[in-house]
């Protein structure tokens, strides 16, 4: 099962407690560790975390700097543990705007964990669904122009291999914390048939127990993908 999470509400969590927004982001980073650890037990094979959107650069410079510092810290401090836990880490998003220090750590983590067979962890940094589709389209256009790819070979399946998520399965469930009911440019293409869970808890409050009950709710849903799936009672007749 693939779960995507829009980790929202760090700022509000801190503000409500009279703390600086960055303290909320710090709590949020600690929360990532806890949730990643619980994935194998909960049957989550792929976890995609929205860490920083292409729109988040619009925030105050000190908040952006603070967030970048936190990513750096997270990547540096969790490298060994993620590898020990057999987690395979990939990154989604446009890396070109990120600092060289962060890029080096991302590459190191990606290479180190490449052969791991446990949880597939995707971290979306400087990620925007529309930006991802535009970058994919440019790559496709270049291949068509060079004669490497024929227009008729552009199918949905082929298109998705040009996205940052490449050949990974689409998210089955997308969770957003902190009460907002929108995607904010997360997995625009991949979410076409995802289920959604919008929770009131902010990201620092998103405990493994809340995660588990959200997954239980997901498992009780019927997914149709456009077809009509007969109810269990109808099948018994
Ligand atoms: C999510 O928390 C973290 C990032 C977007 C990086 P927010 O910072 O958006 O928190 P709120 O929504 O302002 O409470
Ligand atoms: C979405 O949250 C981005 C991340 C969680 C990384 P935002 O807080 O940036 O989204 P909006 O601005 O409320 O839509
Ligand atoms: Mg927010």
């Amino acid at each position: 099962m693939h779960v995507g999470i829009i980790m929202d509400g760090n700022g509000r969590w801190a503000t409500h407690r009279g703390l600086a927004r960055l303290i909320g982001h710090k709590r949020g980073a600690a929360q990532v560790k806890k949730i990643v650890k619980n994935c194998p037990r909960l049957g989550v094979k792929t976890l995609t975390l929205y860490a920083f959107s292409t729109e988040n650069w619009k925030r105050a410079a000190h908040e952006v700097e603070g967030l970048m510092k936190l990513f750096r810290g997270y990547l540096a401090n969790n490298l060994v543990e993620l590898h020990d836990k057999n987690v395979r880490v990939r990154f989604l998003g446009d890396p070109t705007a990120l600092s060289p220090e962060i890029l080096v750590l991302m590459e190191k983590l990606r290479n180190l964990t490449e052969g791991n067979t446990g949880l597939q962890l995707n971290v979306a940094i400087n990620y925007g669904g529309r930006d991802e589709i535009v970058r994919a389209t440019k790559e496709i256009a270049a291949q068509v122009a060079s004669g490497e790819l024929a227009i008729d070979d552009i199918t949905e399946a082929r298109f998705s291999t040009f996205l940052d998520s490449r050949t990974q399965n689409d998210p089955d469930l997308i969770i957003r914390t902190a009460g907002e009911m929108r995607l904010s440019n997360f997995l625009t293409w991949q979410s076409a048939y995802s289920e959604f869970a919008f929770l009131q808890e902010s990201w620092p409050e998103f405990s493994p127990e809340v995660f588990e009950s959200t997954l239980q709710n997901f498992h009780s849903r019927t997914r149709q993908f456009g077809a009509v799936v007969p109810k269990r009672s109808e099948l018994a007749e």
Side-chain angles (χ1 to χ4, degrees):
M1 153 163 208
H2 179 176
V3 177
I5 308 185
I6 303 171
M7 308 182 288
D8 197 17
N10 295 346
R12 275 165 283 171
W13 180 89
T15 308
H16 288 162
R17 286 161 182 76
L19 303 168
R21 289 177 60 84
L22 274 170
I23 306 277
H25 293 313
K26 228 176 169 169
R27 280 291 289 253
Q31 195 69 356
V32 167
K33 243 179 129 159
K34 233 195 280 177
I35 295 306
V36 165
K37 209 167 100 186
N38 275 271
C39 281
R41 176 177 75 82
L42 298 174
V44 175
K45 299 262 187 298
T46 306
L47 180 69
T48 301
L49 297 176
Y50 203 6
F52 193 87
S53 75
T54 47
E55 287 73 36
N56 285 148
W57 299 104
K58 294 181 202 161
R59 295 187 179 200
H62 76 273
E63 183 169 348
V64 172
E65 273 164 34
L67 280 166
M68 292 300 157
K69 214 170 146 188
L70 271 175
F71 296 146
R72 240 185 4 246
Y74 176 83
L75 296 172
N77 299 333
N78 290 284
L79 192 104
V80 175
E81 193 179 331
L82 287 166
H83 186 44
D84 279 352
K85 292 217 155 67
N86 199 20
V87 177
R88 184 172 185 248
V89 186
R90 288 271 171 90
F91 296 92
L92 312 182
D94 180 2
T96 55
L98 301 173
S99 76
E101 293 89 350
I102 291 185
L103 290 177
V104 166
L105 285 167
M106 281 163 63
E107 202 47 27
K108 208 165 149 187
L109 190 54
R110 204 186 65 82
N111 286 333
L112 179 73
T113 63
E114 181 65 43
N116 288 349
T117 54
L119 175 71
Q120 167 74 49
L121 175 64
N122 300 313
V123 184
I125 299 187
N126 191 26
Y127 175 88
R130 287 184 173 180
D131 176 67
E132 180 188 38
I133 291 169
V134 169
R135 285 185 287 107
T137 306
K138 282 184 177 168
E139 228 184 294
I140 291 168
Q143 290 201 4
V144 170
S146 71
E148 215 177 314
L149 184 68
I151 289 182
D152 286 343
D153 289 339
I154 306 172
T155 58
E156 289 186 13
R158 192 68 177 266
F159 192 97
S160 60
T161 66
F162 286 85
L163 297 170
D164 299 338
S165 47
R166 304 282 156 184
T167 53
Q168 292 189 41
N169 292 336
D170 289 339
D172 298 292
L173 172 68
I174 292 179
I175 299 170
R176 182 170 186 146
T177 56
E180 310 302 339
M181 290 190 268
R182 54 178 173 258
L183 270 178
S184 302
N185 213 359
F186 186 50
L187 302 179
T188 307
W189 171 283
Q190 299 89 336
S191 63
Y193 264 103
S194 301
E195 295 289 324
F196 290 91
F198 295 106
L199 307 181
Q200 288 309 313
E201 288 87 352
S202 65
W203 175 245
E205 295 165 334
F206 184 76
S207 62
E209 291 72 32
V210 176
F211 193 15
E212 190 164 0
S213 65
T214 307
L215 292 174
Q216 269 165 8
N217 173 291
F218 163 82
H219 287 300
S220 70
R221 301 185 194 179
T222 304
R223 301 176 77 192
Q224 305 211 126
F225 300 98
V228 177
V229 177
K231 289 199 187 86
R232 224 166 275 167
S233 56
E234 288 168 353
L235 282 174
E237 278 167 15

